[in-house]
Amino acid sequence: MNIVVFDGYVNNPGDLSWDALKQYGTVTVYDRTPRNELQERARQADIAVSSKVFWDAEALSWAPNLKMIALTSTGYNVVDLDAARSHGVVVSNVPAYSTPDVAQMTFALLLELCLHVGYHSELVMDGAWVKSPDFSFWKTPLVEIAGKTLGIVGMGHIGQAVCRIARAFGMDVIFENRSPKPDLEGEGVRQVNLDELLASSDVVTLHVPATPETSGMMDAGAIAKMKDGAILLNTARGTLVDEQAVADALHAGKLGGFGADVVSVEPMKADNPLLSCKGENIVVTPHIAWATHEARERLLATVAANVGAFVDGRPQNVVD
């Protein structure tokens, strides 16, 4: 098998190894593959290992030998599944490898929005505490999350992990999910519809996939249904949020804070409306929740296992 890794740098910038793939064939690793180089690199590939390469019908036509796309991600919106099916290409993904890490990032964003730890540390390191006449000072409101209501939109693996952490912090949890999940209800946790969640939550956090139905779900209308001063978090997919509506709500004081690890177009564009909110209660990180060393180790191990299972004639984690 000719195995081609098309965009390996982000998954493995040098601190991990692709060697586990070598038992299944010849491995060629490219740090990045822009669209104008994909045709040449895809020509001889039997197995494509990629994350953000867009495998539409045109790209698949450039790869006549392609038998498998081994995604280094959970999401699979970069593959035209109908086109892959028509070309006889099996597509696999890596489910749930970063669940604890995304849940961790969700609370990193929330705690920063509530306590502004980074800002106050910068003040200290710049000498503000040395010059202070008092033993303590703070330059922003400090918010306690115990007793607050967290609304979780999407109660899959990540939503459930977020729920457990929220309960440990003493938060009440309400959640919305497209199907009933009565087994997840209990003390301090109940399922509601989306409108009730938006109206009742002090913090709303998004954990649903990017689909046509969820695209732009947090628009101006949805934000208007939220409590005044509530916080919105997005560690799922940037397309879930209307970023101009978020910026407008921050400027107007409707939203008390916004934290995100994802944006609608990545890398972020210079005209993204969120960049107009600098100085307001906003924290945006460059899609790093998934990227702990531990999560990436699990990711690459599962990718290698997916390739091995395909070569052995028993594909696993198949997206269809």
Side-chain angles (χ1 to χ4, degrees), residues 55-308:
W55 293 100
D56 56 6
E58 180 182 47
L60 289 164
S61 73
W62 295 336
N65 299 323
L66 193 63
K67 302 170 182 65
M68 178 194 192
I69 298 172
L71 293 170
T72 59
S73 62
T74 302
Y76 47 85
N77 56 307
V78 294
V79 180
D80 182 332
L81 294 179
D82 290 335
R85 193 178 299 111
S86 69
H87 281 78
V89 176
V90 171
V91 180
S92 70
N93 72 340
V94 185
Y97 73 94
S98 61
T99 295
D101 310 273
V102 177
Q104 176 177 298
M105 175 59 80
T106 300
F107 278 89
L109 294 172
L110 178 58
L111 293 172
E112 182 62 24
L113 290 168
C114 290
L115 295 174
H116 306 277
V117 172
Y119 173 61
H120 283 93
S121 177
E122 287 182 6
L123 291 174
V124 169
M125 300 311 293
D126 287 341
W129 204 5
V130 172
K131 301 171 185 175
S132 174
D134 304 307
F135 78 96
S136 174
F137 71 90
W138 53 95
K139 295 295 185 180
T140 65
L142 305 178
V143 177
E144 180 180 277
I145 64 173
K148 299 291 192 298
T149 297
L150 178 70
I152 301 174
V153 182
M155 201 63 158
H157 292 296
I158 295 172
Q160 291 174 46
V162 168
C163 179
R164 291 190 292 270
I165 298 171
R167 292 298 293 146
F169 269 114
M171 303 184 80
D172 293 319
V173 173
I174 55 179
F175 70 91
E176 186 273 341
N177 197 72
R178 64 182 178 181
S179 59
K181 291 200 171 185
D183 55 313
L184 298 180
E185 295 189 275
E187 183 179 355
V189 182
R190 62 189 179 91
Q191 185 166 2
V192 299
N193 63 43
L194 183 59
D195 283 349
E196 182 178 349
L197 182 146
L198 295 175
S200 303
S201 299
D202 299 296
V203 182
V204 173
T205 181
L206 307 178
H207 300 288
V208 293
T211 67
E213 292 72 29
T214 61
S215 179
M217 65 179 296
M218 292 307 299
D219 57 10
I223 293 170
K225 296 176 182 179
M226 295 174 65
K227 283 184 177 182
D228 290 346
I231 290 172
L232 177 61
L233 305 174
N234 186 15
T235 54
R237 289 291 183 265
T239 54
L240 305 181
V241 169
D242 180 333
E243 291 161 342
Q244 185 62 61
V246 168
D248 292 343
L250 284 170
H251 294 323
K254 171 62 179 177
L255 281 178
F258 177 67
D261 184 51
V262 289
V263 293
S264 58
V265 178
E266 297 172 350
M268 192 183 216
K269 299 298 184 183
D271 61 353
N272 189 300
L274 297 177
L275 293 175
S276 71
C277 300
K278 185 177 181 180
E280 301 187 43
N281 200 22
I282 183 170
V283 181
V284 181
T285 49
H287 204 149
I288 57 173
W290 67 278
T292 66
H293 191 276
E294 293 85 350
R296 290 184 295 108
E297 280 186 315
R298 290 191 293 271
L299 173 68
L300 295 194
T302 304
V303 169
N306 286 347
V307 170

